[in-house]
Amino acid sequence: AEDQTMSGAAFKTSNVGYSGSGYADYGAASDLYVEFNNVDGGQGGYCILTFRYSQGSEDSRPLAVTMNGKYVGELSISKTVDETGSGSWVVWEEETFVTVCDAGMNAFRLTTTVRTGGPNLDFMSHQQANALGGTDIQSYVTPGSSFVSVPVV
């Protein structure tokens, strides 16, 4: 990951369907992370973060989310399935996470919390919710929304 900081996760290209030049593969251990630096929080306030991932295992692989070193929640990562209903590492889905960003630049770290590791992480995109002009934040998070992309690799 040329623009992201990784510890224990590895740059991979073996599972098709990713965007960009590859993805981060968390592997199978806890305390591995990918950190997205220079995420613009604007004047501060709600940020909508969207993560694109694949996860073919039966078990859930949650990620602890920290912002600027402070725990802000957990990202639920469920199994991605193909058209037959089987778990697949080449099916990519998105998960949305809403938090309050600090003004200016922020760093978001996603850390594995279980010994089975984490998903394959393709990218993170973000939107400053204060730019929505009072729109209900939950109604804004819809497929096809325009986000600023911060690729993993």
Side-chain angles (χ1 to χ4, degrees):
E2 55 216 35
D3 293 330
Q4 308 311 320
T5 304
M6 292 194 290
S7 176
F11 171 79
K12 296 278 183 92
T13 61
S14 54
N15 293 324
V16 299
Y18 56 85
S19 62
S21 60
Y23 56 89
D25 181 341
Y26 275 96
S30 60
D31 297 321
L32 310 176
Y33 69 82
V34 174
E35 184 169 290
F36 296 87
N37 295 298
N38 301 315
V39 178
D40 190 356
Q43 299 298 316
Y46 285 105
C47 286
I48 304 166
L49 309 174
T50 300
F51 300 92
R52 186 169 188 261
Y53 70 94
S54 69
Q55 203 285 90
S57 294
E58 291 295 323
D59 53 331
S60 175
R61 295 188 174 193
L63 298 171
V65 182
T66 59
M67 180 188 72
N68 304 327
K70 180 183 175 187
Y71 178 80
V72 293
E74 185 173 274
L75 186 64
S76 176
I77 302 292
S78 301
K79 176 176 71 172
T80 52
V81 296
D82 62 18
E83 62 278 351
T84 68
S86 299
S88 175
W89 291 97
V90 297
V91 173
W92 298 86
E93 294 183 5
E94 293 182 354
E95 187 69 34
T96 301
F97 184 87
V98 178
T99 191
V100 177
C101 287
D102 291 340
M105 295 301 170
N106 295 275
F108 285 93
R109 180 178 287 189
L110 282 74
T111 305
T112 57
T113 61
V114 294
R115 64 178 175 77
T116 52
N120 292 337
L121 189 59
D122 188 16
F123 66 78
M124 181 192 84
S125 56
H126 76 285
Q127 171 70 43
Q128 297 168 20
N130 57 350
L132 302 178
T135 302
D136 176 33
I137 201 165
Q138 294 302 322
S139 66
Y140 182 78
V141 182
T142 57
S145 296
S146 176
F147 290 99
V148 177
S149 182
V150 181
V152 171
V153 292

